[in-house]
Amino acid sequence: MRELESKKQLSNERFAEARARSLARKYGARHIRQDLKSKGVSDEMISKVSSANELERARAILKRKYHAPVSSREEHARRARFLQSRGFSYDTIRSALSSSTNFSEE
């Protein structure tokens, strides 16, 4: 293991970045951080995982899953719960859902 690490063929940082990148298509920053923690990645590396494009990811996920704009309060709540289960923060969910009424215009 040490030999591979010294040759830069095995890197925890590369693993964390690749794992975060692969999960980013479906999940929010909170879920990604939890997954990395469960895989044994150090807190220092987990803190490097940014939530920079979290709002854009939430919008993209909503657009892929729901093709029609929000039509009722129940539908709004359903979508909020969906994003919450994916690990997005409340502020991100609120912002994504407030802009999701414009699906048909985009």
Side-chain angles (χ1 to χ4, degrees):
M1 291 289 278
R2 289 194 172 100
E3 182 181 333
L4 291 174
E5 287 175 351
S6 68
K7 291 181 181 180
K8 305 256 186 217
Q9 293 177 344
L10 182 65
S11 167
N12 287 336
E13 189 173 346
R14 270 201 335 252
F15 167 75
E17 289 172 0
R19 182 76 179 161
R21 199 172 33 255
S22 71
L23 291 174
R25 181 167 158 39
K26 287 182 142 185
Y27 299 104
R30 188 178 329 136
H31 182 90
I32 294 169
R33 285 188 202 110
Q34 183 62 34
D35 182 77
L36 291 175
K37 193 173 222 172
S38 73
K39 300 289 184 194
V41 176
S42 71
D43 290 336
E44 179 184 323
M45 285 187 210
I46 290 173
S47 66
K48 291 180 183 178
V49 174
S50 87
S51 57
N53 296 322
E54 193 171 23
L55 181 58
E56 289 81 20
R57 284 185 295 167
R59 286 179 181 158
I61 289 170
L62 279 175
K63 198 169 187 177
R64 273 196 309 270
K65 180 148 176 84
Y66 302 103
H67 303 290
V70 176
S71 59
S72 68
R73 176 175 271 156
E74 291 81 17
E75 183 65 26
H76 188 274
R78 182 178 296 123
R79 292 178 188 198
R81 283 190 307 269
F82 170 72
L83 287 176
Q84 186 180 18
S85 73
R86 292 292 179 107
F88 289 97
S89 69
Y90 173 75
D91 293 331
T92 301
I93 292 169
R94 192 180 67 217
S95 298
L97 288 175
S98 68
S99 66
S100 71
T101 58
N102 300 327
F103 276 179
S104 57
E105 297 173 7
E106 290 180 357

